[in-house]
Every structure is written in structure tokens, then in C-alpha cells.
Amino acid sequence: MHIAVRELKASLSRVLALAQGGEVIEVRSHHKPIARIVGIPPQADEGLRRLIATGALSWAGGKPQFAPPLELVAGGTSVSQMVLEDRG
């Protein structure tokens, strides 16, 4: 289903109900897609609860902490060179 931003603002509850029912909603601005609204299946909650119960998942309510980004090393093989070598 395609919906304009203006229509989304006017009928948000209806659109969210459709997404919850399994429909994928594509939001458009000036006839160009800008976002998709996808419902979360009810069984997704069961999986999260199972992970929490087994201790495989926990959340203290804060923002996630990610590992520091990798440092790029100068002088290595460029991606374009790797692609050319792979094609050859």
C-alpha cells in the first residue's frame, strides 16, 4: 500500500492497524518513497521473552554500547582493485 505523508498524518491509527495486520505501508513524499512501515509479528515478543529468560539478552534501559570503529590502514589493496581481480 502507498500513502502520502499528509494522509499518514491524518489517519495514523488506521495505517498502524493495517501494518499490525501484516500489510507493508510505503510512505511517499512528492510521489517518491521515503519510508516503510512494517508491523511487528506477535510471536516476535515471545522470542525476546525467551532470550531474556535464558539470560542470553538483557537491557538496563540505556543506549547500546558499540565497539570502537576499526582503523583503516593506508597502503592496502583498494576495493576497486579487489573487484577487478575477482572479475579477471
Side-chain angles (χ1 to χ4, degrees):
M1 169 182 185
H2 305 292
I3 188 168
V5 173
R6 179 179 25 84
E7 186 181 348
L8 175 64
K9 290 161 85 176
S11 57
L12 181 60
S13 295
R14 180 182 65 82
V15 171
L16 292 177
L18 289 170
Q20 188 177 21
E23 184 145 5
V24 176
I25 315 297
E26 187 175 90
V27 182
R28 292 181 169 215
S29 177
H30 302 286
H31 305 288
K32 294 181 182 176
I34 60 169
R36 277 197 190 107
I37 301 174
V38 181
I40 299 171
Q43 61 270 28
D45 189 43
E46 295 170 16
L48 290 176
R49 288 181 192 199
R50 185 174 40 245
L51 289 171
I52 291 170
T54 61
L57 176 71
S58 65
W59 181 52
K63 291 184 178 180
Q65 298 295 319
F66 298 106
L70 296 174
E71 298 264 340
L72 297 178
V73 179
T77 306
S78 69
V79 173
S80 58
Q81 184 61 40
M82 285 188 241
V83 169
L84 289 173
E85 289 172 5
D86 189 47
R87 289 180 182 171

